[in-house]
Amino acid sequence: MSLNIEKETEPDFSFEYEALAGEVIRFVLEREEFPYEAEVTLTLTDNAGIREINQMYREIDSPTDVLSFPMLSYSTAGDFSGLEEAYEDNFNPDTGEILLGDIVISVEKVKEQALNYGHSEKREYAFLIVHSMLHLFGYDHMTSEEAAQMEQKQEQILNEMHILRNETDRGSL
Protein backbone atom coordinates (compact mmCIF):
# COMPACT_ATOMS: atom_id res chain seq x y z
CA MET A 1 0.00 0.00 0.00
CA SER A 2 1.24 3.44 -0.89
CA LEU A 3 0.06 6.52 0.94
CA ASN A 4 0.86 9.91 -0.53
CA ILE A 5 0.36 12.73 1.99
CA GLU A 6 0.09 16.28 0.75
CA LYS A 7 0.10 19.07 3.32
CA GLU A 8 -1.52 22.36 2.40
CA THR A 9 -1.37 23.27 6.08
CA GLU A 10 1.00 22.08 8.79
CA PRO A 11 -0.94 19.84 11.19
CA ASP A 12 -0.02 20.38 14.83
CA PHE A 13 -1.53 17.17 16.16
CA SER A 14 -0.15 15.57 19.32
CA PHE A 15 -0.02 12.17 17.61
CA GLU A 16 1.89 10.81 14.63
CA TYR A 17 -0.73 11.66 12.02
CA GLU A 18 1.17 10.22 9.04
CA ALA A 19 1.73 6.87 10.75
CA LEU A 20 -1.87 6.77 12.01
CA ALA A 21 -3.22 7.47 8.51
CA GLY A 22 -1.19 4.55 7.15
CA GLU A 23 -2.29 2.27 9.97
CA VAL A 24 -5.98 3.11 9.50
CA ILE A 25 -5.90 2.76 5.71
CA ARG A 26 -4.05 -0.58 5.90
CA PHE A 27 -6.50 -1.85 8.52
CA VAL A 28 -9.55 -0.91 6.42
CA LEU A 29 -8.03 -2.47 3.29
CA GLU A 30 -7.40 -5.73 5.15
CA ARG A 31 -10.69 -5.77 7.07
CA GLU A 32 -12.75 -5.17 3.94
CA GLU A 33 -10.61 -7.75 2.10
CA PHE A 34 -9.63 -5.42 -0.72
CA PRO A 35 -7.91 -7.83 -3.13
CA TYR A 36 -5.24 -5.49 -4.54
CA GLU A 37 -2.38 -3.40 -3.32
CA ALA A 38 -3.70 0.15 -3.31
CA GLU A 39 -2.48 3.71 -3.66
CA VAL A 40 -4.27 6.44 -1.71
CA THR A 41 -3.60 10.18 -1.59
CA LEU A 42 -4.40 12.08 1.60
CA THR A 43 -4.46 15.88 1.49
CA LEU A 44 -4.46 17.81 4.75
CA THR A 45 -5.80 21.32 4.33
CA ASP A 46 -7.54 24.07 6.28
CA ASN A 47 -11.16 25.24 6.21
CA ALA A 48 -10.51 27.71 3.39
CA GLY A 49 -8.89 25.02 1.25
CA ILE A 50 -11.61 22.43 1.76
CA ARG A 51 -14.29 25.06 1.26
CA GLU A 52 -12.82 25.86 -2.15
CA ILE A 53 -12.74 22.17 -3.13
CA ASN A 54 -16.28 21.66 -1.78
CA GLN A 55 -17.50 24.59 -3.88
CA MET A 56 -15.69 23.37 -7.00
CA TYR A 57 -16.82 19.73 -6.89
CA ARG A 58 -20.06 19.77 -4.91
CA GLU A 59 -21.26 23.36 -5.40
CA ILE A 60 -21.49 23.75 -1.62
CA ASP A 61 -19.93 27.02 -0.47
CA SER A 62 -18.87 26.02 3.02
CA PRO A 63 -16.07 24.07 4.66
CA THR A 64 -16.63 20.42 5.46
CA ASP A 65 -14.61 17.91 7.45
CA VAL A 66 -13.68 15.39 4.75
CA LEU A 67 -14.10 14.86 1.03
CA SER A 68 -13.61 11.59 -0.82
CA PHE A 69 -12.74 11.21 -4.48
CA PRO A 70 -13.00 7.54 -5.50
CA MET A 71 -11.18 6.43 -8.63
CA LEU A 72 -13.31 3.27 -8.89
CA SER A 73 -17.04 2.64 -8.94
CA TYR A 74 -18.88 -0.43 -7.78
CA SER A 75 -22.19 -2.00 -8.73
CA THR A 76 -22.51 -2.94 -5.05
CA ALA A 77 -20.59 -1.21 -2.26
CA GLY A 78 -17.68 -3.32 -1.11
CA ASP A 79 -17.94 -5.78 -4.03
CA PHE A 80 -14.46 -5.83 -5.51
CA SER A 81 -15.07 -8.53 -8.14
CA GLY A 82 -14.29 -7.43 -11.66
CA LEU A 83 -12.19 -4.41 -10.73
CA GLU A 84 -9.11 -5.65 -12.53
CA GLU A 85 -10.95 -6.03 -15.84
CA ALA A 86 -12.94 -2.80 -15.50
CA TYR A 87 -10.04 -0.68 -14.29
CA GLU A 88 -6.93 -2.12 -15.88
CA ASP A 89 -5.81 1.46 -16.67
CA ASN A 90 -6.11 2.44 -12.98
CA PHE A 91 -3.07 0.44 -11.95
CA ASN A 92 0.15 2.37 -11.38
CA PRO A 93 2.58 0.85 -13.90
CA ASP A 94 5.56 1.46 -11.57
CA THR A 95 4.11 -0.19 -8.46
CA GLY A 96 1.27 -2.37 -9.75
CA GLU A 97 -1.02 -0.76 -7.17
CA ILE A 98 -4.56 0.22 -8.05
CA LEU A 99 -5.31 3.93 -7.71
CA LEU A 100 -8.05 3.81 -5.09
CA GLY A 101 -8.72 7.53 -4.70
CA ASP A 102 -8.14 10.73 -2.76
CA ILE A 103 -9.07 11.83 0.73
CA VAL A 104 -9.09 15.51 1.71
CA ILE A 105 -9.33 16.43 5.42
CA SER A 106 -9.66 19.83 7.06
CA VAL A 107 -7.27 19.89 10.02
CA GLU A 108 -9.31 22.75 11.51
CA LYS A 109 -12.49 20.63 11.36
CA VAL A 110 -10.70 17.70 13.03
CA LYS A 111 -9.83 19.94 15.97
CA GLU A 112 -13.25 21.62 16.10
CA GLN A 113 -15.24 18.38 15.90
CA ALA A 114 -13.04 16.56 18.43
CA LEU A 115 -13.76 19.36 20.89
CA ASN A 116 -17.49 19.42 20.07
CA TYR A 117 -17.86 15.62 20.34
CA GLY A 118 -15.73 15.36 23.48
CA HIS A 119 -13.15 12.95 22.14
CA SER A 120 -9.55 13.13 21.03
CA GLU A 121 -8.29 14.68 17.82
CA LYS A 122 -6.72 11.30 17.09
CA ARG A 123 -10.12 9.62 17.22
CA GLU A 124 -11.73 12.26 14.98
CA TYR A 125 -8.90 12.07 12.44
CA ALA A 126 -9.05 8.25 12.35
CA PHE A 127 -12.85 8.37 12.04
CA LEU A 128 -12.67 10.70 9.04
CA ILE A 129 -10.14 8.43 7.31
CA VAL A 130 -12.30 5.34 7.94
CA HIS A 131 -15.38 7.22 6.70
CA SER A 132 -13.57 8.28 3.55
CA MET A 133 -12.09 4.82 2.90
CA LEU A 134 -15.60 3.39 2.97
CA HIS A 135 -16.62 5.98 0.37
CA LEU A 136 -13.62 4.86 -1.73
CA PHE A 137 -15.14 1.34 -1.55
CA GLY A 138 -18.51 2.56 -2.81
CA TYR A 139 -20.36 2.97 0.50
CA ASP A 140 -22.57 6.02 0.91
CA HIS A 141 -25.07 7.53 3.32
CA MET A 142 -27.71 9.00 1.02
CA THR A 143 -30.50 6.78 2.39
CA SER A 144 -31.17 5.78 5.98
CA GLU A 145 -30.29 2.16 5.16
CA GLU A 146 -26.97 3.16 3.58
CA ALA A 147 -26.20 5.48 6.50
CA ALA A 148 -26.91 2.74 9.05
CA GLN A 149 -24.66 0.28 7.23
CA MET A 150 -21.85 2.81 6.93
CA GLU A 151 -22.13 3.95 10.56
CA GLN A 152 -22.03 0.36 11.78
CA LYS A 153 -18.91 -0.41 9.73
CA GLN A 154 -17.20 2.78 10.93
CA GLU A 155 -17.82 1.99 14.59
CA GLN A 156 -16.76 -1.65 14.20
CA ILE A 157 -13.50 -0.67 12.51
CA LEU A 158 -12.62 1.98 15.11
CA ASN A 159 -13.53 -0.37 17.97
CA GLU A 160 -11.38 -3.14 16.48
CA MET A 161 -8.52 -0.66 16.26
CA HIS A 162 -9.15 0.41 19.89
CA ILE A 163 -9.70 4.02 18.84
CA LEU A 164 -12.70 4.66 21.00
CA ARG A 165 -15.24 7.45 21.28
CA ASN A 166 -15.04 9.75 24.31
CA GLU A 167 -11.80 8.27 25.57
CA THR A 168 -8.22 9.39 25.54
CA ASP A 169 -5.91 8.08 22.85
CA ARG A 170 -5.65 4.31 23.36
CA GLY A 171 -4.68 3.09 19.91
CA SER A 172 -1.20 1.88 19.07
CA LEU A 173 -0.08 5.26 17.74
Side-chain angles (χ1 to χ4, degrees):
M1 190 250 342
S2 293
L3 172 59
N4 306 309
I5 297 180
E6 299 177 7
K7 295 181 275 188
E8 295 179 353
T9 189
E10 192 58 46
D12 60 343
F13 294 126
S14 62
F15 55 91
E16 296 181 35
Y17 63 90
E18 291 182 9
L20 180 60
E23 180 183 329
V24 170
I25 291 168
R26 269 189 295 283
F27 189 90
V28 175
L29 288 166
E30 289 172 14
R31 186 182 187 283
E32 295 299 305
E33 300 178 1
F34 190 71
Y36 306 102
E37 288 297 313
E39 183 176 316
V40 176
T41 298
L42 170 63
T43 301
L44 301 173
T45 191
D46 56 17
N47 283 347
I50 207 162
R51 178 183 180 176
E52 185 176 317
I53 297 167
N54 207 18
Q55 172 65 35
M56 185 182 316
Y57 291 98
R58 298 177 64 220
E59 298 182 0
I60 299 174
D61 189 19
S62 64
T64 188
D65 51 5
V66 65
L67 293 169
S68 310
F69 296 96
M71 295 291 290
L72 311 172
S73 59
Y74 308 86
S75 54
T76 303
D79 178 3
F80 308 122
S81 61
L83 287 181
E84 189 167 352
E85 296 81 32
Y87 291 100
E88 64 184 58
D89 292 339
N90 278 51
F91 285 85
N92 182 326
D94 296 328
T95 64
E97 296 173 323
I98 196 164
L99 305 174
L100 193 55
D102 299 339
I103 300 170
V104 181
I105 293 178
S106 167
V107 171
E108 289 176 273
K109 285 287 186 184
V110 170
K111 294 175 173 294
E112 175 186 316
Q113 290 177 177
L115 186 62
N116 290 343
Y117 296 136
H119 55 240
S120 69
E121 292 175 4
K122 176 183 172 181
R123 197 272 181 198
E124 185 64 19
Y125 178 76
F127 168 81
L128 294 175
I129 293 171
V130 169
H131 180 86
S132 196
M133 285 296 295
L134 293 175
H135 278 308
L136 298 186
F137 289 156
Y139 292 95
D140 213 336
H141 43 81
M142 299 303 287
T143 68
S144 58
E145 294 83 16
E146 290 174 338
Q149 179 186 31
M150 199 164 170
E151 288 169 14
Q152 180 182 21
K153 280 188 167 289
Q154 291 166 168
E155 286 303 314
Q156 287 172 341
I157 290 166
L158 291 167
N159 286 342
E160 289 170 18
M161 293 190 75
H162 305 289
I163 301 174
L164 307 174
R165 185 184 299 265
N166 299 323
E167 290 193 26
T168 58
D169 297 340
R170 292 180 43 171
S172 60
L173 295 174

